[in-house]
Amino acid sequence: MAMTTKIETGREVATLINVFTVLPERQAELVALLSRATEETMKDRPGFISANIHASADGERVVNYAQWESEAHFRAMLADPTAQEHMTQAAALAEGFDPRLYAVESVHHIEGAPGAG
């Protein structure tokens, strides 16, 4: 069964939101690297659920919104040498980055709106 991103309160997942600051001329390169890292490495790690890569309209940020089954699964990925290689490459492209784990506290939808489950 394919896992997909579900944003809802009370869900027992570890949510990573990593905000990268990047020079606009490097944004597309960073997006491509994060997408490739997800396909080649992250998605095969135990506990991986999903990753969503966002590029800001001004070209200065890239955000990775990822979900893992647990914080332990996320921490195990961080210790994996192949994952570390991808993370080192991403850090080299970025001017800065701020990875943090979050809990969903509130979700709001308009009934019938596109994408509102």
Side-chain angles (χ1 to χ4, degrees), residues 44-115:
D44 296 325
R45 294 299 170 265
F48 175 84
I49 296 173
S50 65
N52 304 271
I53 312 300
H54 305 262
S56 68
D58 65 7
E60 297 178 353
R61 302 279 187 283
V62 174
V63 177
N64 179 6
Y65 182 101
Q67 292 180 335
W68 293 84
E69 289 179 18
S70 69
E71 184 174 346
H73 284 104
F74 172 73
R75 300 277 177 217
M77 176 279 297
L78 290 178
D80 180 274
T82 305
Q84 287 176 357
E85 182 179 331
H86 287 296
M87 290 181 290
T88 299
Q89 292 170 353
L93 284 175
E95 297 296 299
F97 50 95
D98 186 19
R100 298 184 187 229
L101 292 178
Y102 291 83
V104 177
E105 296 294 329
S106 181
V107 177
H108 307 269
H109 296 285
I110 297 173
E111 288 299 317

Side-chain angles (χ1 to χ4, degrees), residues 32-50:
L33 178 108
L34 292 170
S35 296
R36 191 172 55 254
T38 300
E39 285 300 312
E40 293 176 1
T41 302
M42 304 305 178
K43 73 175 191 167
D44 296 325
R45 294 299 170 265
F48 175 84
I49 296 173
S50 65

